[in-house]
Amino acid sequence: MAATGTEAQIARALLVRLGTLSLSQSMPISYPDQAFTKPLDGSGKPLPYLEAAILPAPTSAVTIAHDGLNAYAGILQVTVVYPQNSGAIKPAEIAARIIQHFKRGTKMTDGSTTVHVVQPPYASQTFKDEPYTRTPVTVRYQAFARQS
């Protein structure tokens, strides 16, 4: 069932697409404003996971008419959260899979709203967040919809 409202449809389209990401190892996803317990192995050591955030930009008018099209843009930020001291290669491979999954030109639809990936996604510099490292992947999106 589609979400109600353009902003909600954009969020749902992006997050549903993220949920279909196939990785060589299963990784839980921390979705925005949903309860999440960081995964641990049997001995209590941290395991990798993904963290999603939607960062909308200001909506802009595409047409002059009051009931015309608006442009909705923003960023889906998917962060690869990996246990520290595991090396740089595995998180980079996961980031590359996210980039491929959301490559430029990817379209996602929820209800009447179609979301487009408008620029090539990219991974930013990894930083430490004990006991993890974090590698953010930025996915820039845009959607056009009539003002309701």
Side-chain angles (χ1 to χ4, degrees):
M1 182 166 81
T4 303
T6 302
E7 293 82 0
Q9 289 178 349
I10 291 169
R12 182 171 159 78
L14 291 165
L15 296 176
V16 165
R17 174 80 181 174
L18 177 60
T20 66
L21 176 66
S22 176
L23 298 169
S24 60
Q25 67 181 95
S26 177
M27 291 179 67
I29 302 171
S30 173
Y31 290 101
D33 200 31
Q34 288 188 359
F36 182 78
T37 301
K38 294 177 182 177
L40 303 172
D41 70 8
S43 64
K45 293 181 182 176
L47 292 171
Y49 64 95
L50 301 178
E51 187 175 80
I54 298 174
L55 311 168
T59 302
S60 60
V62 177
T63 61
I64 296 173
H66 294 294
D67 61 350
L69 285 178
N70 289 334
Y72 298 81
I75 292 171
L76 169 66
Q77 189 83 47
V78 182
T79 303
V80 179
V81 184
Y82 217 83
Q84 241 179 327
N85 302 316
S86 298
I89 302 305
K90 204 62 171 159
E93 289 175 342
I94 296 166
R97 290 288 303 134
I98 296 166
I99 290 167
Q100 177 61 29
H101 193 63
F102 286 98
K103 65 186 174 193
R104 184 174 52 133
T106 299
K107 295 178 185 176
M108 301 145 278
T109 300
D110 188 73
S112 61
T113 303
T114 299
V115 182
H116 303 260
V117 177
V118 293
Q119 293 182 1
Y122 62 91
S124 296
Q125 180 178 353
T126 297
F127 62 93
K128 292 180 181 181
D129 183 21
E130 303 234 2
Y132 301 98
T133 59
R134 293 176 164 272
T135 306
V137 177
T138 299
V139 178
R140 294 187 183 276
Y141 68 83
Q142 188 170 44
F144 296 95
R146 294 211 175 276
Q147 182 168 302
S148 51

